[in-house]
Amino acid sequence: TFRIKEDIETGETIISGMGELHLDIIADRLRREFKVEANYGRPQVAYKETITSEAEGEEKYVRQSGGRGQYGHVLLKVKPKERGQGFEFIDEIKGGAIPKEFIAPVEKGVKEAMDKGIVAGYPMVDVEVTLFDGSFHEVDSSEFAFKIAGSMAFQSAAKRAKPVILEPVMKMEIVTPEDFFGQVISDVSSRRGKIEETSERVGMKIIDASVPLSEMFGYVTALRSLTEGRASSTMEFNRYEQVPQNIAQEIIDGKRQ
């Protein structure tokens, strides 16, 4: 009943068990018996970022410091893709404006910028990037210069493309006695949840809802106290959705995990 895993996206070690008391006891034993001091807290939510409109970016990376310099010049455009479609890089360079060997470094620079995010430092997803023009220097151009220029041009374009934060939204099923139906519905709504369907099954009310993951930590305990321990719930990942502006500001300011 006690499980442990590492979250690849946040780098955190996630422990899960039968309830908060179970986890409190595990944490206490780690400190007392095994002398392991650690930072315990709610898991960090794996937010993402994306863009909501099209934009262009142009950047030159030029450095001259004795001997050979650095020169890379990139023009690209960014465009949002459907949720879940991932990243696509399109090479539309014509007439050798940028030599072939410098195209891959531009893409690498774009990917590095996407990993760092634009709004609050979370990875960017579902973006189409088209490299359509640029220029090079016969002597000073290098893979490094084009990688930096690509990264800078992407950041410049993404900032103009109305970037937003996305949050994971969970699909939930709650089974509750009818006596507590109203309180459970009200509690789900207070967690920014959307009720999608309600039905009945063997004298119990079934509530299907979608709720942001960030509002769901400690929910099992809250549901138990709300329904005298008679309700149960299941939850699984469903989709990513744009975060409301007031919540986005809290994430940017670091007030919300």
Side-chain angles (χ1 to χ4, degrees):
T1 56
F2 175 67
R3 293 184 183 160
I4 182 166
K5 67 170 186 173
E6 188 166 338
D7 189 313
I8 297 165
E9 295 196 352
T10 63
E12 292 182 322
T13 300
I14 306 294
I15 60 173
S16 52
M18 294 176 72
E20 289 179 46
L21 179 61
H22 187 189
L23 298 182
D24 287 342
I25 291 166
I26 294 279
D28 185 56
R29 287 189 62 204
L30 277 170
R31 288 193 198 96
R32 224 167 7 89
E33 292 179 36
F34 302 99
K35 306 291 186 276
V36 174
E37 283 302 327
N39 293 322
Y40 301 95
R42 287 169 34 158
Q44 188 178 324
V45 176
Y47 293 108
K48 309 263 191 209
E49 297 180 15
T50 193
I51 55 172
T52 56
S53 67
E54 298 182 32
E56 293 186 2
E58 176 182 9
E59 291 291 340
K60 267 185 188 173
Y61 180 76
V62 184
R63 291 288 181 275
Q64 204 69 48
S65 54
R68 186 178 168 181
Q70 296 281 0
Y71 182 93
H73 176 212
V74 167
L75 284 88
L76 51 76
K77 53 192 171 196
V78 296
K79 180 178 168 185
K81 287 172 74 83
E82 288 290 316
R83 197 69 62 244
Q85 285 192 349
F87 166 68
E88 184 180 5
F89 184 83
I90 300 168
D91 171 15
E92 280 188 1
I93 292 296
K94 295 187 174 65
I98 297 176
K100 281 282 179 208
E101 66 265 28
F102 297 139
I103 305 294
V106 171
E107 182 177 357
K108 190 175 178 186
V110 167
K111 283 180 177 172
E112 285 184 6
M114 285 181 67
D115 286 343
K116 291 175 187 161
I118 298 295
V119 184
Y122 295 101
M124 297 200 86
V125 294
D126 305 329
V127 178
E128 178 184 290
V129 178
T130 303
L131 175 65
F132 66 91
D133 205 358
S135 64
F136 71 104
H137 189 280
E138 290 285 357
V139 178
D140 291 346
S141 280
S142 67
E143 290 188 1
F144 174 77
F146 273 98
K147 186 179 93 161
I148 300 295
S151 177
M152 289 163 57
F154 174 79
Q155 289 175 55
S156 170
K159 281 172 187 169
R160 287 199 283 270
K162 298 177 184 165
V164 295
I165 299 175
L166 302 172
E167 65 180 346
V169 173
M170 312 305 281
K171 180 180 177 184
M172 287 196 72
E173 182 184 84
I174 305 160
V175 182
T176 178
E178 193 161 349
D179 296 355
F180 306 103
F181 182 68
Q183 294 101 301
V184 172
I185 291 272
S186 175
D187 182 64
V188 168
S189 298
S190 74
R191 296 170 185 268
R192 297 193 286 125
K194 295 188 184 88
I195 308 299
E196 287 170 359
E197 192 182 348
T198 62
S199 57
E200 284 192 35
R201 188 191 303 156
V202 200
M204 300 288 272
K205 284 281 191 180
I206 313 297
I207 302 163
D208 290 310
S210 54
V211 192
L213 175 62
S214 63
E215 307 288 346
M216 294 311 296
F217 296 114
Y219 181 69
V220 172
T221 304
L223 182 64
R224 194 178 294 132
S225 61
L226 202 63
T227 63
E228 298 171 7
R230 293 165 63 196
S232 63
S233 67
T234 57
M235 180 171 76
E236 63 179 327
F237 172 75
N238 189 9
R239 63 189 182 275
Y240 270 90
E241 264 185 17
Q242 187 175 330
V243 174
Q245 187 53 48
N246 60 318
I247 305 290
Q249 196 54 53
E250 286 182 18
I251 295 167
I252 293 163
D253 296 341
K255 293 175 186 167
R256 176 179 281 258
Q257 281 197 310

